[in-house]
Amino acid sequence: MSTTVSRPRAGTLARRAGIAVIVVYCLVPFYWMVVSSLRRPADQFSNAPLPAPVSFDNYTAAFDPANGFGRALLNSLVVAGTTTALTLLVGIFAGYALARLDFRGKTLILTLVIATSMFPPITLVVPLLRLFTDAGWINTYQAMIVPSMSFALPLAVWNLTAFFRQMPAELEKAAQVDGCTPAQAFRKVVLPLAAPAVFTTAILVFICAWNEFLIAVSVVNDRQMMTANVIVTLFTGQYRYDQPFGTQMAAGVVVTLPLVVAVLFFQRRIVDGLTAGGLK
């Protein structure tokens, strides 16, 4: 009896230990970034586990008007927010059509949508740069939004298609029997029930667009239009050859913290949205 009881306990302890290792592995880099951002500039190469004394000089330096970090945060918000809104608008209708409508080539279309996400972004930089140069889009928001949408749409379409497929078609039929048009049934019945999946997709797309770097650094060379991820790489120290590690760490914390807070605050909704499509 004792052996039977001890085995589940040992398995539980092993699982908890494994989870603890994964959590520590994921959080240590962020912890070190926070600690480094709170050191004095003179202590930036210290390896102490805690800053002593705590200093906010790096945050003050990061938001120095000469760095343009505040404007870059606004640019990131505009690009990520617009990308999320447009991606959801297209992804909801595309996912619903692929899940509900019967037409030839539907499986092929969904396969091609997913296949587009397999191309490394670096292979698209030169064609996009040439295209945007000819169109006069260099140093514009749309030059960053359109490529970000192309990277985020496969995720949105796949996630929403899987969710809509699991929703009973009888819900729309019942709404139409009660007098709703197909559009009204979609707006009044389907969309409210799809809110968890839509919300989850929105969070994932926003994170993807917020963290995008390669396209933003390639199609923008005007500091007034750069996003936060790009402007951090251009921070300079007091002298020409200084490497402002502390200032960059402080900027990294500012850029990362909203995403961490959002994921922690909405984690239950995110999990519900990711698992809802797999349940009937």
Side-chain angles (χ1 to χ4, degrees):
M1 182 69 178
S2 59
T3 304
T4 305
V5 174
S6 63
R7 287 179 178 177
R9 289 181 179 177
T12 301
L13 291 176
R15 287 193 295 270
R16 290 179 179 178
I19 293 173
V21 170
I22 294 174
V23 170
V24 171
Y25 177 81
C26 294
L27 292 183
V28 162
F30 182 70
Y31 167 79
W32 193 253
M33 185 167 62
V34 173
V35 169
S36 299
S37 70
L38 295 175
R39 301 189 197 278
R40 296 177 302 179
D43 301 330
Q44 65 178 357
F45 294 109
S46 173
N47 292 323
L50 293 174
V54 174
S55 173
F56 293 95
D57 292 343
N58 291 320
Y59 290 90
T60 303
F63 283 97
D64 190 310
N67 289 329
F69 185 57
R71 174 56 189 257
L73 285 174
L74 178 61
N75 292 337
S76 291
L77 183 61
V78 171
V79 172
T82 305
T83 299
T84 302
L86 294 178
T87 300
L88 286 180
L89 181 63
V90 177
I92 288 173
F93 289 107
Y96 184 76
L98 290 170
R100 283 289 191 262
L101 302 182
D102 292 324
F103 55 90
R104 297 180 63 180
K106 181 172 68 172
T107 303
L108 177 61
I109 292 174
L110 185 58
T111 302
L112 291 176
V113 169
I114 300 304
T116 58
S117 63
M118 300 180 184
F119 291 96
I122 189 64
T123 62
L124 305 177
V125 170
V126 174
L128 287 176
L129 188 59
R130 176 63 183 273
L131 178 64
F132 293 160
T133 300
D134 293 341
W137 279 17
I138 299 299
N139 293 323
T140 61
Y141 285 129
Q142 58 265 31
M144 295 179 281
I145 292 172
V146 172
S148 295
M149 283 184 60
S150 68
F151 300 146
L153 265 175
L155 170 66
V157 172
W158 179 267
N159 191 38
L160 293 172
T161 300
F163 182 83
F164 285 133
R165 279 179 174 173
Q166 300 300 327
M167 292 184 63
E170 289 76 10
L171 295 174
E172 293 124 292
K173 294 179 181 179
Q176 293 178 33
V177 169
D178 290 339
C180 289
T181 64
Q184 290 175 332
F186 175 74
R187 179 170 55 88
K188 296 181 178 180
V189 177
V190 175
L191 273 184
L193 293 176
V198 172
F199 186 86
T200 301
T201 304
I203 291 291
L204 297 177
V205 170
F206 185 86
I207 292 174
C208 179
W210 182 268
N211 290 333
E212 202 286 317
F213 174 80
L214 185 60
I215 298 298
V217 78
S218 301
V219 301
V220 173
N221 52 39
D222 183 358
R223 291 184 69 97
Q224 293 298 314
M225 296 299 299
M226 291 180 178
T227 57
N229 294 331
V230 176
I231 207 72
V232 170
T233 65
L234 302 180
F235 281 0
T236 58
Q238 183 178 1
Y239 301 102
R240 181 178 179 182
Y241 298 105
D242 284 351
Q243 182 63 36
F245 290 115
T247 306
Q248 291 175 334
M249 290 292 186
V253 172
V254 174
V255 172
T256 307
L257 193 58
L259 301 181
V260 174
V261 173
V263 171
L264 291 177
F265 187 74
F266 297 113
Q267 59 178 329
R268 178 168 296 181
R269 287 180 174 269
I270 293 174
V271 173
D272 291 342
L274 289 174
T275 57
L279 301 176
K280 291 187 179 182

